[in-house]
Amino acid sequence: MSQNESSDARGGLLRRARRLATMLPSPRDEAALGVARNVRALVTGKGQPAPASAKPLGGAAVPKRKNRPTSASPSWRPAAGIPGRWLRVVRTPDEPLEHVDREVADPSEAAAVRAGWLLIDAHERLSIRGAEQVFGHELDAWHRYTDDSLVILDHPGNAESVKVHESKNNLLRYRRTMDFARRGERVFDVGFGMGYLAAQLIRERGVASYHGIDIERENAVRAEALFASNGLSNADITLEHGNLFDLTREQVASTGATLVICCEVLEHVDDAELALRILADALPDGVDLVFSVPLHGRLESVWGHVSVFDVARLKEMLDATGLHAHHVEPLANVWSLVVASRSAEPSRRVREASGRPPLRSSVALTEHREFINVEAGDMTPDHASKPGDVTVAGVGPRRVSCRLAGNGGVSFPVQGLEALRLLIHFTDIVNVRRFVVRATADGTKVCTWVWKPTAEQIARPDRRFSLRPGEGARPFVSGPHADLDRADRVEVVAELAPGTTAEFSLTAAYLP
C-alpha cells in the first residue's frame, strides 16, 4: 500500500469513527470523545492523553463472561471509566460457592471474625487508592495510635534500611502484632528478619523470652547489632538458623513458647499451604499462632513474593490445617493479620488484646442531610429548547407535566448538588430517544446523566431514579463531573425522533 493509500485509509477510518461517535449518548459526552480519541490512537499509533477535566470515580460496567475478569484493562486506555482504577479487576466464579465456614464456638467472636473477613475482602476488591479513599480516616486513627504508643528504636544499620523497616505501615504492623502478645509471654518467631519485632516485644511489650529462627544466616548478625544498640544484649533472646519446613512441635515446645508468630513469611515460600500446615502441627496444646500475609493486590512489586492471598485462599488454608480463626483484620491497607489456634473455644488472647483508644474516626459524608423538594412553580422549560417546543404546567404542588413538540424538558434551580432523585411518569414517551439530566453552574455543565429508554424499561407507568455524580445509577449513566457544590440548575431533557411529540410528568428533590 502506498503512503497516500495508507493516509486515505486512516482518514476513512477516522471519519467512520466520528460518525459512530455521534450515535453514542451525545457527541459532547465523554464516552463519545473517548471513543474518538481511542480510535485515533489505534489508527495513527499515537497515544491520546485523557483530558484534565476528566475525574472518574468508578469503572464503566463491562458484561461478565464465564471464567473471565469482570472487567479488563484495554491495551489503549479510554479517557474515563478505566476498570481497575477504583474497583479491582477480579475474576468471579460461574456459580456461587456454598462452603460452610469453619467458625469458633463463641457467637460473638464468630461474628467479629466474619466482619473481619468482610473488611479484608472489601480492601482486596478495591484498588490501593480506592481503599485509601474509603478507609483512610480509620487508618489515620491507627497510625496516631502507633505514633503515641510505639517507641522508635536506635538503629545501627544504614539509613535506607531504617526507612523501609520503620515506615509508618511497618510500625503499625509491629504495633498490632505486639497488641496480641501478653506481658510475660514466651514467643517463638518464625522469620525474625532484622529483629525489629523482637526488640519491640522484649523492650516495650515485656515478653519474658524470645526464640527466633530465620533461613537467612546473616539476619542474626544484624538483629544482634540492633539488640545491642537498644540495651537488649542481656535479654532472654535466642536466634538460630532454621527452616520453617523443618519445624516440629517438639522444637517449639522445648522453648516453652506460649505464642508462635509468623509474619511476612508465607508469601516467600513455594508452598504456602504446606507451610501453614507445618506451623499448625508444630503448635503445642494451648499455643496460639499470629501470622500475616500481604492483602491481595498489595506489595506485588516485591520479587521475593511468589504467591498472593485472598480471603478465599486464607479460609481454605485454615480449613486444611484444622486451625480456627479467632481474629482477622486488614492491616495498614497492606496486610491481612490472623490470630488462630487449633481450639474452637473463645480466645483469651483476642479478648485481652490491646488496641487503639475508641476515638471516633467517622467523618461526615455530607453537610446537608435533608432532601429539598422542588416546587412546581420553580420548574420551567429548559433554556436550550426552541420557543413553542416545550410546555410545562403544574399538575400538583410538586409535580409538572412536560409536553414536547421537539427536544426539550424541565429546568429548576438547585443550591449545590450532592444527590438528585426524580420521579418520571411516562405519559407518552415512545418517541423519546434518550433522557439527559444536566447539572450546571453559571451556565457551565458540571455533570451529565444519560438514559436511552427501552420498551421494557418504560412498560410501567412511572419510574423512580436516584442519581449521584460518577455513579452508575441504572439505567442512567453518569459522565465526568466537577464542582457540583457550585451547581445552581438542573435540566431534565428528552431528545425525540425528528418530527415527533412526547409527554411526561416530573417530580424532583435534591440533596444540596
Side-chain angles (χ1 to χ4, degrees):
M1 181 182 292
S2 69
Q3 183 175 357
N4 289 337
E5 289 172 330
S6 175
S7 177
D8 290 343
R10 286 197 295 267
L13 277 173
L14 288 174
R15 285 192 294 273
R16 285 194 290 273
R18 293 191 187 100
R19 286 198 297 272
L20 286 172
T22 63
M23 298 171 64
L24 289 170
S26 168
R28 292 173 55 81
D29 191 274
E30 187 60 39
L33 295 175
V35 168
R37 279 191 293 271
N38 292 326
V39 173
R40 180 183 294 275
L42 199 62
V43 172
T44 64
K46 298 178 180 179
Q48 299 294 323
S53 61
K55 297 181 181 179
L57 285 183
V62 177
K64 290 186 178 181
R65 294 174 290 175
K66 291 186 176 181
N67 289 324
R68 301 289 296 170
T70 56
S71 56
S73 297
S75 57
W76 39 273
R77 285 187 168 188
I82 299 175
R85 176 168 287 176
W86 301 101
L87 293 177
R88 188 170 297 282
V89 178
V90 296
R91 297 180 183 272
T92 55
D94 295 338
E95 299 294 336
L97 301 178
E98 296 183 356
H99 296 310
V100 176
D101 280 339
R102 179 187 180 89
E103 293 190 331
V104 291
D106 179 62
S108 297
E109 188 174 279
V113 170
R114 286 182 210 166
W117 286 128
L118 186 61
L119 272 176
I120 292 175
D121 190 62
H123 277 75
E124 293 178 339
R125 290 178 183 275
L126 291 165
S127 66
I128 296 174
R129 186 178 175 189
E132 288 173 352
Q133 293 286 326
V134 175
F135 300 109
H137 57 288
E138 176 67 16
L139 187 53
D140 287 343
W142 280 106
H143 284 309
R144 287 196 296 271
Y145 164 60
T146 300
D147 292 341
D148 294 341
S149 63
L150 194 66
V151 176
I152 301 300
L153 300 174
D154 293 327
H155 295 277
N158 61 67
E160 191 61 29
S161 175
V162 173
K163 181 179 178 181
V164 172
H165 288 90
E166 291 214 341
S167 67
K168 68 175 186 177
N169 286 335
N170 271 321
L171 290 176
L172 177 53
R173 178 168 63 86
Y174 304 146
R175 174 69 267 177
R176 286 303 286 151
T177 306
M178 293 162 59
D179 285 342
F180 291 96
R182 298 191 292 264
R183 183 168 295 277
E185 195 109 66
R186 303 181 72 83
V187 174
F188 191 103
D189 192 4
V190 180
F192 57 77
M194 304 294 182
Y196 291 91
L197 178 61
Q200 291 285 5
L201 285 168
I202 291 286
R203 177 173 165 173
E204 302 300 325
R205 199 60 175 172
V207 301
S209 67
Y210 175 94
H211 188 107
I213 65 171
D214 200 286
I215 199 169
E216 300 290 343
R217 293 183 182 275
E218 60 270 21
N219 280 347
V221 176
R222 297 167 180 159
E224 287 170 353
L226 178 70
F227 301 153
S229 295
N230 288 274
L232 301 175
S233 297
N234 297 323
D236 191 353
I237 301 175
T238 303
L239 305 179
E240 62 176 326
H241 176 257
N243 191 322
L244 185 160
F245 290 99
D246 297 329
L247 193 64
T248 65
R249 183 178 297 190
E250 291 72 25
Q251 181 182 1
V252 176
S254 68
T255 68
T258 55
L259 173 64
V260 173
I261 296 174
C262 184
C263 291
E264 306 317 297
V265 173
L266 298 182
E267 65 271 22
H268 292 272
V269 302
D270 291 330
D271 192 339
E273 279 75 10
L274 176 59
L276 187 61
R277 189 177 305 118
I278 290 172
L279 284 168
D281 292 342
L283 293 177
D285 291 340
V287 175
D288 298 324
L289 171 67
V290 174
F291 72 93
S292 62
V293 293
L295 289 163
H296 189 267
R298 310 307 196 262
L299 300 181
E300 291 185 334
S301 63
V302 180
W303 286 100
H305 293 184
V306 299
S307 66
V308 298
F309 302 82
D310 56 17
V311 168
R313 185 184 186 188
L314 288 175
K315 286 184 175 182
E316 290 169 359
M317 290 171 65
L318 290 166
D319 289 348
T321 61
L323 290 173
H324 293 271
H326 297 276
H327 176 84
V328 298
E329 69 176 71
L331 180 55
N333 193 22
V334 180
W335 300 279
S336 296
L337 180 69
V338 181
V339 180
S341 77
R342 292 191 295 157
S343 171
E345 295 305 307
S347 171
R348 176 188 169 194
R349 181 177 305 283
V350 171
R351 187 170 63 251
E352 295 179 354
S354 53
R356 74 171 184 84
L359 298 176
R360 183 171 299 176
S361 62
S362 303
V363 294
L365 301 181
T366 179
E367 293 182 10
H368 306 277
R369 294 186 170 91
E370 295 182 358
F371 275 87
I372 297 176
N373 293 309
V374 180
E375 302 297 328
D378 291 329
M379 298 191 198
T380 58
D382 72 289
H383 296 161
S385 60
K386 297 179 180 179
D389 278 357
V390 180
T391 302
V392 175
V395 292
R398 293 169 180 163
R399 177 179 170 184
V400 296
S401 172
C402 181
R403 295 178 181 176
L404 302 173
N407 295 341
V410 179
S411 173
F412 54 87
V414 295
Q415 303 168 25
L417 185 65
E418 178 180 327
L420 178 67
R421 62 186 182 197
L422 306 173
L423 172 58
I424 302 179
H425 295 264
F426 308 139
T427 310
D428 178 13
I429 66 166
V430 293
N431 297 317
V432 175
R433 287 183 168 179
R434 68 175 191 163
F435 280 98
V436 179
V437 179
R438 296 189 185 95
T440 60
D442 296 325
T444 300
K445 183 179 68 175
V446 292
C447 191
T448 301
W449 295 265
V450 176
W451 170 39
K452 299 175 71 174
T454 64
E456 181 181 0
Q457 290 171 337
I458 62 175
R460 57 191 186 189
D462 57 47
R463 185 158 183 165
R464 292 168 173 79
F465 304 94
S466 175
L467 307 181
R468 279 183 172 270
E471 296 188 17
R474 296 178 181 176
F476 276 94
V477 176
S478 174
H481 60 89
D483 302 324
L484 268 87
D485 58 324
R486 295 178 50 248
D488 53 26
R489 184 157 293 274
V490 168
E491 296 179 341
V492 181
V493 174
E495 296 180 0
L496 312 186
T500 63
T501 62
E503 182 178 351
F504 66 91
S505 65
L506 177 70
T507 306
Y510 69 96
L511 198 62

